[in-house]
Amino acid sequence: MKYIDEYRDAEAAKKYADAIARLTTKPWTLMEVCGGQTHAIVKFGVDELLPEKITLVHGPGCPVCVTPIEFIEKAIEIASCPGVIFCSFGDMLRVPGTGKDLLTVKASGGDVRMVYSPLDALKLAQQNPMKQVVFFAVGFETTAPANAMAVYQAHHQGVKNFSMLVSHVLVPPAMEAILASPSNRVQGFLAAGHVCTVMGYTEYEPIATKYHVPIVVTGFEPLDILQGIYMCVKQLEEGRVEVENQYTRSVRREGNQPAQQLIREVFRIVPRKWRGIGEIAQSGLGLTLPYAEFDAELRFGLKTQTVEESSECIAGLVLQGVKKPHECPAFGTRCTPERPLGAPMVSSEGACAAYYRYRRLRPPVSSSKGLSL
Ligand code: SF4
């Protein structure tokens, strides 16, 4: 496929892997922030091409995985109300709350619909004026502009029966929380290219300086990731600490400024709890005062209750790069994609789902054998 195959070329990948091996003299632990990168790494065996001294750990960048269980419970509560059409991206429908998920609500007669865009939900609101249409807005900075646009349009078109359950999260505070943790082992980051396409990467520069970690903005195809690793390792080996951009075909330092302006218009920065990790200060987005009428939590009078996570699920450790999915005792036995105990086994970007799909049936292979491109 044009524009994809070039980034999956096996010979070029081998050359990059050889270059990384020649460069590496010390052990380094790198974290890829985004779940899309995790899936590419596990699917194509990128980690197995690397020298043994390089360890990749998987980060918290799976929006479904980090949406707090309290928000799943709120979504279930709203979706169970008569007269509500509850809209969500597909992955969120199967994320377990304490007892059930949104698909269970649908099976019991709730009007729960999978949509591909918040604007589809807005259209449903316009087509169904007697119903309350609610969109479950989760995700990182990547999905924030489209969600902001839906609320902005609802406001300016006077659509009164549309609202959003907002559980947005932001990448830089999560990276800081990982770096500040006593159990941190991350020495360099591959930052998420699509987040930086929207936000640019100026906000990563103080983090690199403060924690003395190289950060390389990286894309999602195998060659992108290998080049990102090469750039990160090169900085570490040379004792440099910079924010570099591997994903130049999409990312500018200043990002997409009209999109940022729209985000600032509709959303404000709030504290946010991350599933499995806990509350991180200033790490989420909520609606600004002029758009508060579209806040589903206010419209439905929902109160935040603390909900206990499954004691078996170690997703918090997986999402912070402390453990790998197959180190979870429930992996592949009590927790599978069909019967998930935690969100990382549900989402198409979840690390546990990636390991289950691509790694559960074979032992790890050595770096000399691992090309599955
Ligand atoms: S394998 Fe399942 S139980 Fe274990 S960390 Fe992943 S989602 Fe949680």
Side-chain angles (χ1 to χ4, degrees):
M1 191 190 298
K2 201 174 177 196
Y3 305 126
I4 293 289
D5 289 348
E6 298 92 318
Y7 297 98
R8 297 181 178 180
D9 182 83
E11 282 308 311
K14 276 184 190 156
K15 282 185 191 153
Y16 253 122
D18 289 346
I20 293 167
R22 283 195 300 274
L23 191 65
T24 308
T25 64
K26 299 183 192 135
W28 302 114
T29 299
L30 313 181
M31 173 179 276
E32 83 279 358
V33 170
C34 174
Q37 292 166 330
T38 303
H39 262 252
I41 287 166
V42 178
K43 177 178 178 183
F44 292 107
V46 171
D47 51 339
E48 294 169 335
L49 289 173
L50 300 175
E52 278 180 12
K53 286 193 169 86
I54 307 252
T55 304
L56 291 184
V57 292
H58 314 309
C62 158
V64 173
C65 306
V66 298
T67 300
I69 195 165
E70 287 83 356
F71 270 85
I72 307 296
E73 291 296 308
K74 285 177 183 175
I76 289 168
E77 191 178 337
I78 295 172
S80 304
C81 291
V84 166
I85 300 175
F86 193 87
C87 301
S88 169
F89 295 134
D91 276 4
M92 293 306 297
L93 301 182
R94 294 184 52 247
V95 179
T98 49
K100 50 186 172 182
D101 57 27
L102 284 164
L103 272 188
T104 319
V105 176
K106 186 175 173 66
S108 315
D111 194 346
V112 177
R113 302 192 193 183
M114 187 180 88
V115 293
Y116 293 101
S117 154
L119 294 172
D120 293 343
L122 180 60
K123 200 182 294 175
L124 272 174
Q126 290 164 320
Q127 291 165 348
N128 296 273
M130 305 309 288
K131 302 263 189 176
Q132 284 291 326
V133 176
V134 183
F135 179 72
F136 198 0
V138 303
F140 289 88
E141 294 91 329
T142 331
T143 50
N147 291 342
M149 178 57 82
V151 173
Y152 182 87
Q153 286 193 4
H155 180 65
H156 287 85
Q157 294 170 11
V159 183
K160 299 289 180 198
N161 62 327
F162 176 76
S163 59
M164 266 190 188
L165 180 60
V166 180
S167 182
H168 264 293
V169 280
L170 302 170
V171 168
M175 287 166 66
E176 282 215 68
I178 288 166
L179 290 168
S181 163
S183 55
N184 173 52
R185 56 185 182 134
V186 177
Q187 294 164 294
F189 279 106
L190 307 185
H194 50 12
V195 168
C196 297
T197 300
V198 176
M199 302 304 292
Y201 51 87
T202 54
E203 53 190 344
Y204 296 88
E205 290 164 356
I207 298 175
T209 306
K210 180 175 175 186
Y211 295 96
H212 210 72
V213 285
I215 299 173
V216 178
V217 178
T218 302
F220 302 89
E221 292 298 328
L223 289 188
D224 288 322
I225 293 165
L226 283 164
Q227 188 179 20
I229 293 167
Y230 177 88
M231 291 165 74
C232 205
V233 171
K234 193 160 194 309
Q235 284 198 50
L236 287 163
E237 290 283 344
E238 293 174 358
R240 285 185 295 121
V241 172
E242 292 169 27
V243 179
E244 292 182 317
N245 182 14
Q246 179 278 327
Y247 203 36
T248 51
R249 67 184 184 278
S250 179
V251 175
R252 305 281 171 273
R253 182 170 180 268
E254 66 281 3
N256 180 336
Q257 294 190 338
Q260 292 168 27
Q261 202 175 341
L262 183 63
I263 292 171
R264 282 194 297 273
E265 160 83 17
V266 173
F267 292 124
R268 66 197 165 93
I269 294 176
V270 296
R272 179 69 75 215
K273 186 174 174 188
W274 295 54
R275 190 168 191 170
I277 297 175
E279 184 161 308
I280 302 177
Q282 305 297 298
S283 69
L285 295 176
L287 291 164
T288 53
L289 209 52
Y291 296 90
E293 63 173 306
F294 298 98
D295 187 337
E297 288 187 78
L298 297 178
R299 190 170 295 188
F300 288 85
L302 302 181
K303 299 217 164 33
T304 300
Q305 289 166 358
T306 306
V307 181
E308 290 300 317
E309 304 269 358
S310 158
S311 55
E312 273 198 282
C313 179
I314 61 161
L317 298 176
V318 173
L319 294 168
Q320 294 172 84
V322 178
K323 296 265 186 196
K324 297 246 179 170
H326 59 270
E327 295 173 289
C328 172
F331 175 81
T333 52
R334 291 179 303 288
C335 182
T336 64
E338 290 72 37
R339 299 178 74 85
L341 282 177
M345 189 56 98
V346 177
S347 169
S348 59
E349 294 193 356
C352 301
Y355 273 69
Y356 187 86
R357 185 161 177 197
Y358 300 114
R359 293 278 164 93
R360 77 185 191 283
L361 296 178
R362 61 180 176 83
V365 294
S366 75
S367 58
S368 62
K369 300 179 190 165
L371 194 65
S372 45
L373 292 160

